Amino acid sequence: MKHFPIFLALEGQAVAVAGGGEAALAKLRLLLKTEARITVFSARPAREIRDWAAEGRLTLVPRAFVRGDAPDARLFYAATEDADEDQRVARIAAAQGTLVNIVDNLQDSAFITPAIVDRDPVTIAIGTEGAAPVLARAIKADLEARLPADLGVLARIGKAFRRAAEALSPGRARRDFWAEYYFRTGPRALSQGGTDQVETALDDLLNTHLGLDDQPGHVAFVGAGPGDPELLTLKARKALDRADVVIYDRLVAPGILELARREARMIYVGKEGFGPAMAQSDINRIIVNEAARGGEVVRLKSGDPTLFGRLDEEIAACDAAGLDWSIVPGITAASAAVAGIGQSLTRRGRNSSLRILTGHDMKGLAEQDWAALARPGAVAAIYMGKRAARFVQGRLLMHGARPETDISIVENASRPDQRVIATTLSALAGDIADAGLSGPALIFLGLAPRRAAATISETIAQEFA
Ligand code: SAH
């Protein structure tokens, strides 16, 4: 992030604009929404600027900006539509210590103005660091269409009611109250009877919520999917929206953690692959303690929580503590990885069953039904197989698997840095060692990437050649 978004308090502060044409007008239309003291410097100001000056909405100085002008300005816009003149005025303003924006010159600007969706006091700023103004405009149009025009009215009334709502205990009780106000009671009352009705509805709603008992704690075991936030289920998103506490592992992608409710407490109980790990008993204790305090605990696990996630031990701990729990399934790494190689996990005439294996278990390298896996056409998705590759290879060959059996390795499935490596059983261990895999990887026995995907992996293979 090269530009950090903030909301600047401009009430009563000076803002200066050099220029009087279209570029200046575009900025002034936004600035006039604030309560800043605006001064415009222009020898040839557009008609609107003269009108605004006549209405007392800004001060017009009918000449170019010079040294000593607007020394106390917080922000300065160089909008003269002349690159040399912009540089001249920007230098003066910057030397005075003012934050300067040069219109259409990202490089030399100390700040940039985002695209804005205005539902005052709800303001949404959209920035792309100049990379894609088209995208910013499209997002703005989308939000404009989606957010009710009277959201601002509801927010203003709600803000005045915050004090009263503090009668509810902080956390879930208050959140449920506000969610109901903004998404149900508020809009309905506003459309039926205007702002007066909204105020009455708020009083009634508060009384109803004060009567509700605090909810007991609950644990949701939620599948975070393989990494791409778009592969989260809607249920997982809702659980993250409601969470008071999120307990997560190392493999849960950062982009997914960002979707958790902002006030949610985030607790990392990550296990480093083969490195120091938090004991499962400690994780169980954290889950139980958090839920015992009441509120919604989301236990976020990569992929699907029911696969290689020690779910049963955590459920047993909840049961022992008398805590209510539920499971939200997720997309497992194998589903994402097989999509990445354009293949199917089962196929008529090839394999009517699929084996899901782990390369190692609590005792070390995991033994499997090698004879069945060694048969032609067998397909297996091997989780946690990086370190076990040589062992798996040896066992399979020993049980008569063909050395040329197809193998696909998919690292970081569904993530921007996804990588596919096509190999064969005989070359598996060597190729894994050469690939220098640093992300989570899934190994498919009996599947080759389809052609399109294979081309990608060939390029990668060349990189490693
Ligand atoms: N519950 C998870 C699996 C946890 S075990 C699931 O359903 O996916 C961790 C193993 O999953 C990793 O060692 C790796 O083999 C695999 N894995 C998880 N995310 C992955 C990803 N994005 N790409 C490839 N493999 C992944």
Side-chain angles (χ1 to χ4, degrees):
M1 204 187 281
K2 291 220 170 64
H3 293 83
F4 183 67
I6 54 167
F7 288 86
L8 201 61
L10 278 185
E11 193 180 356
Q13 301 288 329
V15 173
V17 177
E22 271 310 316
L25 277 172
K27 299 299 179 217
L28 285 167
R29 284 193 195 101
L30 294 176
L31 287 168
L32 283 168
K33 292 169 180 275
T34 72
E35 285 161 42
R37 290 182 290 116
I38 303 167
T39 307
V40 177
F41 296 84
S42 169
R44 279 182 293 122
R47 150 138 245 126
E48 287 98 320
I49 298 181
R50 280 184 273 136
D51 289 348
W52 286 328
E55 291 164 15
R57 298 181 66 192
L58 51 77
T59 305
L60 175 61
V61 180
R63 59 162 171 78
F65 180 82
V66 294
R67 193 175 305 279
D69 280 335
D72 59 342
R74 274 250 135 139
L75 300 180
F76 180 85
Y77 283 91
T80 65
E81 294 167 43
D82 169 334
D84 293 339
E85 176 64 358
D86 274 351
Q87 290 290 351
R88 182 188 71 82
V89 295
R91 260 199 302 276
I92 298 173
Q96 295 176 166
T98 308
L99 274 180
V100 173
N101 171 269
I102 305 179
V103 173
D104 290 336
N105 181 346
L106 179 73
Q107 189 77 22
D108 297 330
S109 291
F111 72 95
I112 50 179
T113 317
I116 294 171
V117 179
D118 175 16
R119 297 286 187 278
D120 184 48
V122 178
T123 311
I124 302 165
I126 305 152
T128 61
E129 302 196 340
V134 178
L135 188 58
R137 274 195 293 277
I139 296 170
K140 174 175 153 69
D142 186 40
L143 289 171
E144 292 283 6
R146 216 164 341 150
L147 296 176
D150 45 22
L151 184 68
V153 179
L154 290 177
R156 262 193 299 279
I157 299 173
K159 192 174 174 191
F161 201 77
R162 286 195 82 83
R163 260 263 137 79
E166 280 169 16
L168 291 164
S169 44
R172 191 191 181 100
R174 272 188 216 167
R175 230 173 31 249
D176 288 351
F177 166 77
W178 286 117
E180 196 163 340
Y181 165 64
Y182 278 111
F183 299 110
R184 277 189 296 275
T185 321
R188 202 184 308 139
L190 193 62
S191 68
Q192 280 169 1
T195 52
D196 287 350
Q197 185 135 342
V198 175
E199 279 160 15
T200 321
L202 259 179
D203 284 329
D204 293 346
L205 188 65
L206 181 59
N207 282 330
T208 314
H209 277 251
L210 282 171
L212 294 176
D213 284 337
D214 261 3
Q215 313 249 359
H218 174 262
V219 180
F221 295 98
V222 176
D228 177 354
E230 292 197 1
L231 290 178
L232 269 184
T233 63
L234 284 175
K235 277 208 170 169
R237 286 215 59 162
K238 283 188 192 153
L240 284 170
D241 267 349
R242 272 198 312 265
D244 293 298
V245 181
V246 177
I247 302 174
Y248 67 100
D249 282 335
R250 182 176 64 98
L251 279 183
V252 175
I256 285 167
L257 295 177
E258 286 194 12
L259 297 172
R261 203 167 62 78
R262 219 173 70 162
E263 298 78 20
R265 236 161 3 98
M266 310 298 288
I267 303 179
Y268 175 67
V269 293
K271 303 183 186 179
E272 298 292 332
F274 299 92
M278 182 180 277
Q280 185 62 44
S281 55
D282 289 336
I283 300 177
N284 297 349
R285 196 168 33 73
I286 292 172
I287 296 172
V288 166
N289 287 349
E290 291 297 336
R293 296 160 60 168
E296 180 73 10
V297 174
V298 167
R299 170 69 173 114
L300 199 57
K301 290 173 178 287
S302 80
D304 182 88
T306 70
L307 272 170
F308 306 128
R310 302 187 71 173
L311 176 65
D312 300 69
E313 292 159 72
E314 295 178 6
I315 287 179
C318 289
D319 282 342
L323 287 165
D324 195 21
W325 53 267
S326 59
I327 300 175
V328 178
I331 293 189
T332 188
S335 300
V338 82
I341 59 169
Q343 279 290 11
S344 152
L345 286 171
T346 59
R347 190 203 294 167
R348 269 188 188 209
R350 181 191 66 198
N351 66 311
S352 58
S353 72
L354 161 76
R355 278 157 202 266
I356 292 181
L357 320 177
T358 167
H360 65 92
D361 57 21
M362 288 194 294
K363 296 192 287 292
L365 298 168
E367 286 297 348
Q368 311 286 348
D369 180 354
W370 301 113
L373 287 165
R375 266 179 225 130
V379 173
I382 307 176
Y383 288 67
M384 293 172 278
K386 280 194 280 186
R387 305 263 177 131
R390 186 167 295 282
F391 168 75
V392 170
Q393 179 191 39
R395 284 287 197 274
L396 286 170
L397 291 173
M398 199 169 82
H399 282 81
R402 291 181 308 127
E404 61 275 19
T405 303
D406 285 319
I407 302 268
S408 301
I409 304 160
V410 186
E411 183 193 23
N412 295 315
S414 88
R415 304 181 187 210
D417 48 358
Q418 169 172 305
R419 201 149 62 110
V420 174
I421 296 160
T423 179
T424 57
L425 185 57
S426 58
L428 170 62
D431 277 1
I432 286 234
D434 291 347
L437 303 169
S438 55
L442 204 113
I443 302 172
F444 286 116
L445 168 72
L447 291 182
R450 268 197 221 278
R451 225 149 66 84
T455 324
I456 305 171
S457 71
E458 272 159 27
T459 339
I460 293 162
Q462 278 161 13
E463 267 173 46
F464 285 95

